[in-house]
Amino acid sequence: MSPALPSSAPVKLRSRASDSHKGSFGRVMLIGGSRGMAGSISLSSIAALKSGSGLVSAAVPDGCLETVASFHPAIMTRPMADDSRGRFAFEAAACIVDELAGVDAVGIGPGMTTAPGSLRMTERLLHQVHVPRVFDADALNALSIIGWREQPVSCRTGKRRDESESDQQESGGPEAAGCFGPLVLTPHPGELQRLVGVPAGERQQQIEASQELCRQTGVVVVVKGGPTVVVSADDKYVNTTGNPGMATGGSGDVLTGVITSLLGQGYSCWDAARLGVWVHGHAGDLARQEHGIVSMTALEILQSLPAAWSGLT
Ligand SMILES: NC(=O)C1=CN([C@@H]2O[C@H](COP(=O)(O)OP(=O)(O)OC[C@H]3O[C@@H](n4cnc5c(N)ncnc54)[C@H](OP(=O)(O)O)[C@@H]3O)[C@@H](O)[C@H]2O)[C@@H](O)CC1
Ligand SMILES: Nc1ncnc2c1ncn2[C@@H]1O[C@H](COP(=O)(O)OP(=O)(O)O)[C@@H](O)[C@H]1O
Ligand SMILES: [Mg+2]
Protein backbone atom coordinates (compact mmCIF):
# COMPACT_ATOMS: atom_id res chain seq x y z
CA MET A 1 0.00 0.00 0.00
CA SER A 2 1.50 3.37 -0.93
CA PRO A 3 1.40 6.08 1.72
CA ALA A 4 -0.99 8.97 1.40
CA LEU A 5 0.23 11.89 -0.66
CA PRO A 6 1.91 14.51 1.52
CA SER A 7 0.04 17.62 2.46
CA SER A 8 1.21 20.65 0.56
CA ALA A 9 4.38 22.48 1.55
CA PRO A 10 3.92 25.59 3.71
CA VAL A 11 6.14 27.75 1.50
CA LYS A 12 6.35 27.93 -2.27
CA LEU A 13 9.69 26.88 -3.73
CA ARG A 14 11.25 29.67 -5.78
CA SER A 15 11.84 29.01 -9.45
CA ARG A 16 15.33 29.20 -10.98
CA ALA A 17 15.98 31.75 -13.72
CA SER A 18 17.59 30.30 -16.84
CA ASP A 19 20.60 32.61 -16.46
CA SER A 20 21.29 31.66 -12.83
CA HIS A 21 24.75 30.57 -11.72
CA LYS A 22 26.07 28.86 -8.60
CA GLY A 23 26.42 32.21 -6.81
CA SER A 24 22.70 32.77 -7.26
CA PHE A 25 21.84 30.02 -4.79
CA GLY A 26 23.99 30.92 -1.87
CA ARG A 27 27.38 30.13 -0.44
CA VAL A 28 26.93 28.34 2.87
CA MET A 29 29.26 27.04 5.53
CA LEU A 30 28.66 24.21 7.96
CA ILE A 31 30.79 24.26 11.10
CA GLY A 32 31.22 21.26 13.38
CA GLY A 33 32.46 17.72 13.57
CA SER A 34 35.18 16.21 15.75
CA ARG A 35 37.17 13.01 15.83
CA GLY A 36 34.51 10.28 16.08
CA MET A 37 31.68 12.55 14.88
CA ALA A 38 32.83 13.49 11.40
CA GLY A 39 29.67 11.95 9.97
CA SER A 40 27.33 14.49 11.53
CA ILE A 41 28.75 17.57 9.82
CA SER A 42 29.13 15.58 6.59
CA LEU A 43 25.42 14.77 6.64
CA SER A 44 24.64 18.46 7.17
CA SER A 45 26.96 19.59 4.39
CA ILE A 46 25.67 17.09 1.83
CA ALA A 47 22.08 17.95 2.79
CA ALA A 48 22.84 21.61 2.03
CA LEU A 49 24.20 20.64 -1.38
CA LYS A 50 21.17 18.48 -2.11
CA SER A 51 18.87 21.30 -1.06
CA GLY A 52 20.17 23.59 -3.76
CA SER A 53 23.07 25.59 -2.32
CA GLY A 54 25.48 26.77 -5.00
CA LEU A 55 28.62 26.33 -2.92
CA VAL A 56 29.00 24.41 0.34
CA SER A 57 32.02 24.49 2.65
CA ALA A 58 32.56 22.53 5.84
CA ALA A 59 34.80 24.06 8.51
CA VAL A 60 36.02 21.14 10.60
CA PRO A 61 38.83 20.28 13.02
CA ASP A 62 41.93 19.61 10.94
CA GLY A 63 42.18 16.00 12.10
CA CYS A 64 38.86 14.98 10.55
CA LEU A 65 39.15 16.99 7.34
CA GLU A 66 40.05 14.04 5.12
CA THR A 67 37.15 12.01 6.45
CA VAL A 68 34.64 14.79 5.81
CA ALA A 69 36.14 15.60 2.40
CA SER A 70 35.91 11.97 1.31
CA PHE A 71 32.12 11.79 1.57
CA HIS A 72 31.29 14.11 -1.32
CA PRO A 73 33.64 15.63 -3.89
CA ALA A 74 31.58 18.81 -4.26
CA ILE A 75 32.03 19.82 -0.61
CA MET A 76 34.90 22.21 0.05
CA THR A 77 36.61 21.78 3.40
CA ARG A 78 38.29 24.35 5.65
CA PRO A 79 40.79 22.96 8.16
CA MET A 80 40.49 24.59 11.59
CA ALA A 81 42.93 24.33 14.49
CA ASP A 82 42.19 21.29 16.65
CA ASP A 83 43.15 20.07 20.09
CA SER A 84 44.69 16.72 21.04
CA ARG A 85 41.24 15.09 21.02
CA GLY A 86 40.28 16.20 17.52
CA ARG A 87 37.95 18.99 18.66
CA PHE A 88 38.03 22.69 17.77
CA ALA A 89 40.94 24.38 19.54
CA PHE A 90 40.59 27.81 21.05
CA GLU A 91 42.60 29.30 18.13
CA ALA A 92 39.99 28.07 15.66
CA ALA A 93 37.54 30.59 17.05
CA ALA A 94 39.99 33.44 16.44
CA CYS A 95 39.76 33.12 12.65
CA ILE A 96 36.22 31.87 12.14
CA VAL A 97 34.78 35.33 11.44
CA ASP A 98 37.34 35.86 8.65
CA GLU A 99 36.55 32.42 7.24
CA LEU A 100 32.94 33.53 6.84
CA ALA A 101 33.65 36.44 4.48
CA GLY A 102 31.31 36.15 1.48
CA VAL A 103 29.21 33.42 3.07
CA ASP A 104 25.41 33.86 2.88
CA ALA A 105 24.39 31.50 5.70
CA VAL A 106 26.00 29.33 8.37
CA GLY A 107 25.00 26.19 10.23
CA ILE A 108 26.96 25.31 13.36
CA GLY A 109 26.91 22.54 15.94
CA PRO A 110 26.59 18.95 14.68
CA GLY A 111 29.26 16.75 16.19
CA MET A 112 31.15 19.80 17.50
CA THR A 113 31.39 18.85 21.19
CA THR A 114 31.44 21.51 23.89
CA ALA A 115 35.24 21.79 24.07
CA PRO A 116 36.47 25.29 25.02
CA GLY A 117 37.19 26.09 21.36
CA SER A 118 33.62 25.17 20.42
CA LEU A 119 32.16 27.39 23.15
CA ARG A 120 34.22 30.33 21.93
CA MET A 121 33.29 29.58 18.32
CA THR A 122 29.59 29.61 19.20
CA GLU A 123 29.98 32.87 21.10
CA ARG A 124 31.61 34.49 18.05
CA LEU A 125 28.89 33.20 15.74
CA LEU A 126 26.27 34.61 18.10
CA HIS A 127 27.72 38.09 18.57
CA GLN A 128 30.02 38.85 15.65
CA VAL A 129 28.35 37.21 12.68
CA HIS A 130 25.23 38.76 11.24
CA VAL A 131 24.36 36.53 8.29
CA PRO A 132 21.48 34.07 8.85
CA ARG A 133 22.56 31.16 11.05
CA VAL A 134 21.30 27.79 12.25
CA PHE A 135 22.43 26.69 15.72
CA ASP A 136 22.04 22.95 16.30
CA ALA A 137 23.28 20.24 18.67
CA ASP A 138 26.47 21.32 20.46
CA ALA A 139 26.03 24.97 19.46
CA LEU A 140 22.77 24.83 21.46
CA ASN A 141 24.55 23.12 24.33
CA ALA A 142 27.21 25.83 24.13
CA LEU A 143 24.51 28.51 24.41
CA SER A 144 23.26 26.84 27.58
CA ILE A 145 26.78 26.68 29.00
CA ILE A 146 27.85 30.25 28.19
CA GLY A 147 24.63 31.75 29.57
CA TRP A 148 23.96 33.62 26.34
CA ARG A 149 20.85 35.44 27.51
CA GLU A 150 22.39 36.71 30.72
CA GLN A 151 25.31 38.41 28.99
CA PRO A 152 24.79 42.11 28.52
CA VAL A 153 24.85 42.46 24.77
CA SER A 154 24.50 45.55 22.65
CA CYS A 155 21.72 45.08 20.10
CA ARG A 156 23.32 47.73 17.93
CA THR A 157 26.89 46.47 17.79
CA GLY A 158 26.55 42.88 18.85
CA LYS A 159 29.41 43.43 21.30
CA ARG A 160 29.29 42.61 24.95
CA ARG A 161 28.94 45.81 26.91
CA ASP A 162 32.26 45.31 28.65
CA GLU A 163 33.92 45.35 25.22
CA SER A 164 32.71 48.86 24.39
CA GLU A 165 32.46 51.89 26.65
CA SER A 166 30.04 53.66 24.34
CA ASP A 167 27.58 50.81 24.62
CA GLN A 168 27.07 51.60 28.30
CA GLN A 169 24.57 54.31 27.39
CA GLU A 170 22.53 52.19 25.06
CA SER A 171 19.09 51.00 26.11
CA GLY A 172 17.90 47.44 25.50
CA GLY A 173 19.80 44.24 26.18
CA PRO A 174 19.84 40.69 24.91
CA GLU A 175 16.17 40.40 25.75
CA ALA A 176 15.17 42.95 23.09
CA ALA A 177 13.70 41.33 19.97
CA GLY A 178 16.12 40.77 17.12
CA CYS A 179 19.27 41.16 19.23
CA PHE A 180 20.95 38.19 17.74
CA GLY A 181 20.06 38.85 14.10
CA PRO A 182 18.56 36.16 11.86
CA LEU A 183 18.95 32.97 13.88
CA VAL A 184 17.20 29.58 13.82
CA LEU A 185 17.60 27.18 16.76
CA THR A 186 16.87 23.48 16.11
CA PRO A 187 16.77 21.71 19.49
CA HIS A 188 15.48 18.22 20.23
CA PRO A 189 13.65 17.99 23.56
CA GLY A 190 16.86 17.17 25.48
CA GLU A 191 18.67 20.20 24.08
CA LEU A 192 15.61 22.36 24.67
CA GLN A 193 15.53 21.28 28.31
CA ARG A 194 19.08 22.59 28.68
CA LEU A 195 18.18 25.81 26.86
CA VAL A 196 14.95 26.80 28.59
CA GLY A 197 14.92 24.60 31.69
CA VAL A 198 11.62 22.82 30.93
CA PRO A 199 11.82 18.99 31.16
CA ALA A 200 11.95 17.07 27.87
CA GLY A 201 8.73 15.23 28.68
CA GLU A 202 6.70 18.46 29.02
CA ARG A 203 6.13 19.07 25.34
CA GLN A 204 3.44 21.76 25.53
CA GLN A 205 5.39 23.67 28.16
CA GLN A 206 8.52 23.40 26.03
CA ILE A 207 6.66 24.90 23.06
CA GLU A 208 5.37 27.76 25.21
CA ALA A 209 8.82 28.43 26.66
CA SER A 210 10.24 28.42 23.14
CA GLN A 211 7.76 31.04 22.05
CA GLU A 212 8.69 33.18 25.02
CA LEU A 213 12.33 32.81 23.99
CA CYS A 214 11.39 33.95 20.46
CA ARG A 215 9.61 37.00 21.85
CA GLN A 216 12.58 37.95 23.97
CA THR A 217 15.34 37.38 21.44
CA GLY A 218 13.80 37.41 17.96
CA VAL A 219 15.01 33.89 17.09
CA VAL A 220 12.93 31.16 15.40
CA VAL A 221 12.86 27.82 17.22
CA VAL A 222 12.31 24.43 15.58
CA VAL A 223 10.94 22.27 18.39
CA LYS A 224 11.80 18.81 17.05
CA GLY A 225 9.57 15.82 17.58
CA GLY A 226 6.68 13.95 16.10
CA PRO A 227 5.32 16.35 14.95
CA THR A 228 7.92 19.11 14.85
CA VAL A 229 6.57 22.55 15.72
CA VAL A 230 8.21 25.72 14.36
CA VAL A 231 7.77 28.68 16.66
CA SER A 232 8.28 32.41 16.15
CA ALA A 233 7.44 35.34 18.40
CA ASP A 234 3.86 35.49 17.16
CA ASP A 235 3.19 32.31 15.20
CA LYS A 236 3.38 28.52 15.32
CA TYR A 237 3.52 25.98 12.51
CA VAL A 238 2.83 22.29 13.17
CA ASN A 239 4.64 20.17 10.57
CA THR A 240 2.61 17.59 8.66
CA THR A 241 5.37 15.29 7.40
CA GLY A 242 7.75 12.82 9.06
CA ASN A 243 7.49 9.52 10.91
CA PRO A 244 9.05 7.67 13.87
CA GLY A 245 11.55 5.97 11.54
CA MET A 246 13.34 9.33 11.69
CA ALA A 247 14.23 8.66 15.32
CA THR A 248 17.69 7.57 14.19
CA GLY A 249 21.09 9.16 14.76
CA GLY A 250 21.98 11.84 12.23
CA SER A 251 18.48 12.66 10.98
CA GLY A 252 18.61 16.05 12.73
CA ASP A 253 22.03 16.74 11.21
CA VAL A 254 20.39 16.44 7.79
CA LEU A 255 17.78 19.03 8.81
CA THR A 256 20.50 21.48 9.82
CA GLY A 257 21.90 21.38 6.30
CA VAL A 258 18.49 21.78 4.69
CA ILE A 259 17.56 24.88 6.70
CA THR A 260 21.03 26.43 6.31
CA SER A 261 20.76 25.96 2.55
CA LEU A 262 17.37 27.70 2.41
CA LEU A 263 18.68 30.62 4.48
CA GLY A 264 21.57 30.92 2.02
CA GLN A 265 19.07 31.06 -0.84
CA GLY A 266 17.41 34.06 0.73
CA TYR A 267 14.41 32.56 2.51
CA SER A 268 13.56 34.21 5.83
CA CYS A 269 14.20 32.30 9.07
CA TRP A 270 10.48 31.60 9.42
CA ASP A 271 10.09 30.33 5.83
CA ALA A 272 13.38 28.39 5.81
CA ALA A 273 12.48 26.64 9.06
CA ARG A 274 8.94 25.70 7.94
CA LEU A 275 9.91 24.61 4.43
CA GLY A 276 12.99 22.85 5.82
CA VAL A 277 11.12 20.71 8.34
CA TRP A 278 8.43 19.94 5.79
CA VAL A 279 10.78 18.71 3.07
CA HIS A 280 12.97 16.89 5.62
CA GLY A 281 9.92 15.05 6.93
CA HIS A 282 8.79 14.33 3.37
CA ALA A 283 12.23 12.86 2.61
CA GLY A 284 11.82 10.78 5.78
CA ASP A 285 8.47 9.52 4.53
CA LEU A 286 9.98 8.57 1.16
CA ALA A 287 12.86 6.80 2.94
CA ARG A 288 10.34 4.89 5.03
CA GLN A 289 8.47 3.87 1.89
CA GLU A 290 11.62 2.44 0.32
CA HIS A 291 13.56 1.08 3.31
CA GLY A 292 10.97 0.58 6.02
CA ILE A 293 10.51 2.24 9.39
CA VAL A 294 12.95 -0.15 11.09
CA SER A 295 15.89 -0.02 8.68
CA MET A 296 15.82 3.53 7.38
CA THR A 297 18.77 5.66 8.49
CA ALA A 298 19.84 9.27 8.18
CA LEU A 299 21.70 8.32 5.02
CA GLU A 300 18.45 7.22 3.37
CA ILE A 301 16.75 10.47 4.46
CA LEU A 302 19.63 12.35 2.83
CA GLN A 303 19.35 10.24 -0.32
CA SER A 304 15.59 10.89 -0.47
CA LEU A 305 16.05 14.67 -0.51
CA PRO A 306 16.26 14.85 -4.33
CA ALA A 307 12.89 13.10 -4.71
CA ALA A 308 11.40 15.20 -1.93
CA TRP A 309 12.52 18.44 -3.59
CA SER A 310 11.47 17.20 -7.03
CA GLY A 311 7.92 16.90 -5.80
CA LEU A 312 7.95 20.66 -5.21
CA THR A 313 9.39 21.89 -8.48
N1 LIG B 1 27.02 10.40 12.94
C1 LIG B 1 27.36 11.29 13.88
O1 LIG B 1 28.50 11.75 13.94
C2 LIG B 1 26.32 11.75 14.83
C3 LIG B 1 26.66 12.67 15.81
N2 LIG B 1 25.73 13.23 16.61
C4 LIG B 1 26.22 14.23 17.56
O2 LIG B 1 26.26 13.66 18.84
C5 LIG B 1 26.31 14.70 19.79
C6 LIG B 1 25.33 14.43 20.90
O3 LIG B 1 24.00 14.63 20.42
P1 LIG B 1 22.78 13.75 20.93
O4 LIG B 1 21.57 14.41 20.43
O5 LIG B 1 22.99 12.34 20.52
O6 LIG B 1 22.90 13.77 22.51
P2 LIG B 1 22.41 14.81 23.63
O7 LIG B 1 22.52 16.24 23.18
O8 LIG B 1 23.09 14.48 24.88
O9 LIG B 1 20.84 14.52 23.74
C7 LIG B 1 20.38 13.32 24.26
C8 LIG B 1 19.78 13.61 25.62
O10 LIG B 1 18.56 14.32 25.43
C9 LIG B 1 17.49 13.52 25.92
N3 LIG B 1 16.26 13.54 25.08
C10 LIG B 1 15.01 13.65 25.53
N4 LIG B 1 14.14 13.64 24.53
C11 LIG B 1 14.84 13.50 23.43
C12 LIG B 1 14.46 13.41 22.08
N5 LIG B 1 13.20 13.45 21.65
N6 LIG B 1 15.44 13.28 21.15
C13 LIG B 1 16.74 13.20 21.54
N7 LIG B 1 17.14 13.27 22.83
C14 LIG B 1 16.19 13.43 23.76
C15 LIG B 1 18.03 12.13 25.96
O11 LIG B 1 17.24 11.42 26.85
P3 LIG B 1 17.23 9.81 26.89
O12 LIG B 1 17.51 9.33 25.48
O13 LIG B 1 18.30 9.45 27.82
O14 LIG B 1 15.87 9.50 27.34
C16 LIG B 1 19.46 12.35 26.35
O15 LIG B 1 19.56 12.58 27.74
C17 LIG B 1 26.00 16.00 19.02
O16 LIG B 1 27.20 16.65 18.70
C18 LIG B 1 25.38 15.47 17.75
O17 LIG B 1 25.49 16.38 16.68
C19 LIG B 1 24.33 12.92 16.50
O18 LIG B 1 23.79 13.92 15.67
C20 LIG B 1 24.11 11.53 15.93
C21 LIG B 1 24.93 11.25 14.70
N1 LIG C 1 8.80 10.11 16.17
C1 LIG C 1 9.18 11.01 15.26
N2 LIG C 1 8.30 11.48 14.34
C2 LIG C 1 8.70 12.39 13.42
N3 LIG C 1 9.95 12.88 13.35
C3 LIG C 1 10.84 12.47 14.24
C4 LIG C 1 10.52 11.52 15.24
N4 LIG C 1 11.62 11.29 15.99
C5 LIG C 1 12.60 12.07 15.49
N5 LIG C 1 12.12 12.78 14.44
C6 LIG C 1 12.87 13.79 13.67
O1 LIG C 1 14.21 13.38 13.50
C7 LIG C 1 15.09 14.45 13.77
C8 LIG C 1 15.96 14.08 14.99
O2 LIG C 1 16.83 15.14 15.28
P1 LIG C 1 17.98 14.97 16.37
O3 LIG C 1 17.44 14.39 17.61
O4 LIG C 1 18.69 16.26 16.44
O5 LIG C 1 18.92 13.87 15.65
P2 LIG C 1 20.49 13.75 15.50
O6 LIG C 1 21.12 14.71 16.46
O7 LIG C 1 20.79 12.33 15.84
O8 LIG C 1 20.83 14.08 14.10
C9 LIG C 1 14.24 15.67 14.00
O9 LIG C 1 14.06 16.38 12.80
C10 LIG C 1 12.93 15.07 14.47
O10 LIG C 1 11.82 15.88 14.21
MG1 LIG D 1 20.72 16.65 16.75
Side-chain angles (χ1 to χ4, degrees), residues 188 224-226 228 242-244 246-253 255 280:
H188 63 51
K224 287 173 176 169
T228 289
N243 65 82
M246 298 175 75
T248 176
S251 60
D253 302 332
L255 178 65
H280 176 250

Side-chain angles (χ1 to χ4, degrees), residues 61-108:
D62 198 8
C64 59
L65 182 135
E66 276 74 20
T67 308
V68 173
S70 68
F71 283 116
H72 201 298
I75 307 282
M76 293 171 285
T77 38
R78 305 293 306 165
M80 308 298 289
D82 54 0
D83 66 14
S84 60
R85 291 165 62 184
R87 312 170 304 179
F88 285 129
F90 215 67
E91 304 84 72
C95 60
I96 192 63
V97 176
D98 293 338
E99 290 285 342
L100 291 171
V103 163
D104 299 300
V106 193
I108 178 170

Side-chain angles (χ1 to χ4, degrees), residues 10-11 106 108 126 131-137 140 143 148-149 174 176-188 191-192 195-196 206-224 228-238 255-256 259-260 262-263 267-278:
V11 178
V106 193
I108 178 170
L126 185 67
V131 295
R133 290 141 295 158
V134 178
F135 279 24
D136 182 37
L140 299 170
L143 290 182
W148 62 304
R149 293 171 67 199
C179 269
F180 300 112
L183 179 58
V184 179
L185 310 183
T186 58
H188 63 51
E191 290 155 345
L192 196 50
L195 264 185
V196 298
Q206 282 208 330
I207 292 169
E208 282 162 22
S210 297
Q211 188 149 48
E212 185 55 30
L213 182 66
C214 296
R215 290 192 184 114
Q216 291 174 349
T217 63
V219 303
V220 166
V221 182
V222 172
V223 183
K224 287 173 176 169
T228 289
V229 179
V230 182
V231 181
S232 74
D234 49 17
D235 215 343
K236 278 188 205 135
Y237 166 74
V238 181
L255 178 65
T256 302
I259 298 177
T260 304
L262 292 170
L263 291 175
Y267 291 85
S268 67
C269 288
W270 175 241
D271 283 353
R274 287 182 301 146
L275 182 55
V277 298
W278 189 92

Side-chain angles (χ1 to χ4, degrees), residues 36-41 43 109-113 136-138 141 188-191 193-194 200-201 224-225 248-253:
M37 293 197 291
S40 54
I41 200 70
L43 287 166
M112 184 170 75
T113 80
D136 182 37
D138 291 318
N141 297 330
H188 63 51
E191 290 155 345
Q193 175 169 345
R194 294 174 205 128
K224 287 173 176 169
T248 176
S251 60
D253 302 332

